[in-house]
Amino acid sequence: MKKILTEEQKQKRAETARRNGSKSKGPVTVEGKNRSSMNAITVGKYVDVHDEDLPAFATLLSVDDRKAYVRLHQANLRKFRPDSEQEHQLLRHISSEQFEYERCRKLESLQFQVEHDKLLREWPDVPDEHFSYYAVQRAADDDKVYRFLARKKKEHLAAWQKLQRLFTQNRKDFPVNPPEPVDITADSGLIKQPDPPPYVIEELLKVADQAKNEPTAVLPTFVIELIHDKELMSKYAPHYDYADLRERYPKPKPKLAA
């Protein structure tokens, strides 16, 4: 049963609380004041946010140069020097849009290279200085891909510029003093290519199992790459017998530039 206090008891408790509170000066250092300002935040579901394998901002594809992305983001970290996790999140999106813009630009160049190679196979005797002209001519005849890439470049460039302005305005309107520590562990970890999900490896090994019983079976390249990946196999399928498959299906040679 809840105890009911008289008015006299309530006043006595309030006076005691005020007297004890007056004895405390609270945090004195800048660091202590910064920590105490966070005391009201009691929700714990965000505590492990930096334990993610892949941060939510990442827009990397399996064919992307992950080291190039991390180098780009590190350069942006040195340039913008985020003072809080909020600023760092904005910076992640800045890096992402910048990287996607560069990806579209490279794809545009690759498309011209593809056209160039097609012409080289069809007309091997045409002088080199004419190939670029004919490649552009073909692109003009069927410019669907180029128009798509041009549109995506424009979108990423606009988003990139808008995010930079937002970062600058956010820092001006909401300065963080003293700066908060920024954790870049998850960002640096993007250099490492993530492992395929276990269910994908399981499906690939089922395809490999079919090849064991069919001597003339043609295995997809990605299955052959898996059975030759000792690290992945020892991690996800340590007891899988792949000796015969490795002998029948040699490791694919590295892809050459066009």
Side-chain angles (χ1 to χ4, degrees):
M1 182 175 178
K2 185 177 180 180
K3 184 178 179 180
I4 300 176
L5 301 177
T6 65
E7 288 299 323
E8 184 180 354
Q9 289 173 322
K10 290 179 180 179
Q11 288 182 356
K12 187 176 181 180
R13 285 195 175 187
E15 290 173 1
T16 301
R18 283 193 293 269
R19 186 168 57 252
N20 291 336
S22 65
K23 296 177 182 179
S24 174
K25 296 181 180 180
V28 178
T29 64
V30 174
E31 291 79 7
K33 291 178 181 179
N34 188 42
R35 283 196 300 271
S36 67
S37 69
M38 306 297 289
N39 289 343
I41 300 178
T42 56
V43 179
K45 63 181 180 179
Y46 300 112
V47 170
D48 296 326
V49 68
H50 293 300
D51 290 343
E52 298 172 289
D53 290 331
L54 280 176
F57 70 90
T59 53
L60 295 171
L61 303 178
S62 60
V63 294
D64 283 331
D65 185 343
R66 306 179 76 83
K67 290 184 179 179
Y69 178 86
V70 173
R71 282 196 297 268
L72 169 66
H73 187 57
Q74 288 176 339
N76 282 336
L77 283 168
R78 290 192 296 270
K79 176 182 178 181
F80 291 91
R81 296 184 179 276
D83 289 339
S84 65
E85 280 296 344
Q86 183 189 42
E87 287 189 358
H88 188 204
Q89 183 66 6
L90 273 173
L91 186 57
R92 284 168 168 166
H93 289 292
I94 289 172
S95 298
S96 179
E97 293 294 343
Q98 185 178 358
F99 188 81
E100 291 201 75
Y101 171 84
E102 292 295 334
R103 180 199 291 149
C104 289
R105 188 185 60 78
K106 291 176 182 176
L107 285 173
E108 199 171 52
S109 298
L110 177 61
Q111 182 66 12
F112 272 109
Q113 182 67 56
V114 170
E115 296 288 358
H116 183 282
D117 293 346
K118 286 180 181 178
L119 288 166
L120 186 61
R121 294 185 185 97
E122 294 175 17
W123 305 331
D125 298 328
V126 173
D128 291 343
E129 60 269 18
H130 292 175
F131 274 111
S132 295
Y133 169 76
Y134 290 126
V136 171
Q137 188 180 55
R138 285 197 174 186
D141 292 338
D142 184 15
D143 66 344
K144 187 175 180 179
V145 173
Y146 297 99
R147 284 188 283 112
F148 172 80
L149 290 174
R151 185 169 68 250
K152 299 305 291 184
K153 281 198 307 179
K154 184 177 180 180
E155 291 173 1
H156 291 306
L157 182 60
W160 177 21
Q161 294 171 337
K162 183 178 180 180
L163 285 165
Q164 289 183 89
R165 291 194 296 270
L166 182 61
F167 184 97
T168 303
Q169 190 65 41
N170 182 76
R171 172 167 288 185
K172 180 180 178 181
D173 294 343
F174 307 101
V176 180
N177 190 21
E180 297 176 1
V182 174
D183 191 336
I184 63 170
T185 306
D187 307 86
S188 300
L190 286 170
I191 285 182
K192 184 180 179 183
Q193 187 76 24
D195 292 341
Y199 71 88
V200 171
I201 293 180
E202 184 179 345
E203 290 298 321
L204 296 183
L205 292 180
K206 287 180 181 178
V207 177
D209 285 337
Q210 294 175 1
K212 287 183 177 182
N213 302 320
E214 301 176 14
T216 59
V218 178
L219 272 184
T221 303
F222 44 83
V223 178
I224 299 174
E225 289 176 344
L226 172 64
I227 62 177
H228 281 278
D229 192 327
K230 294 182 179 180
E231 184 178 349
L232 269 182
M233 292 297 291
S234 61
K235 184 176 180 180
Y236 292 100
H239 305 297
Y240 189 85
D241 182 11
Y242 49 72
D244 178 61
L245 290 175
R246 280 187 175 178
E247 186 175 344
R248 287 168 52 193
Y249 303 95
K251 186 176 181 179
K253 295 181 179 179
K255 294 182 179 179
L256 301 177

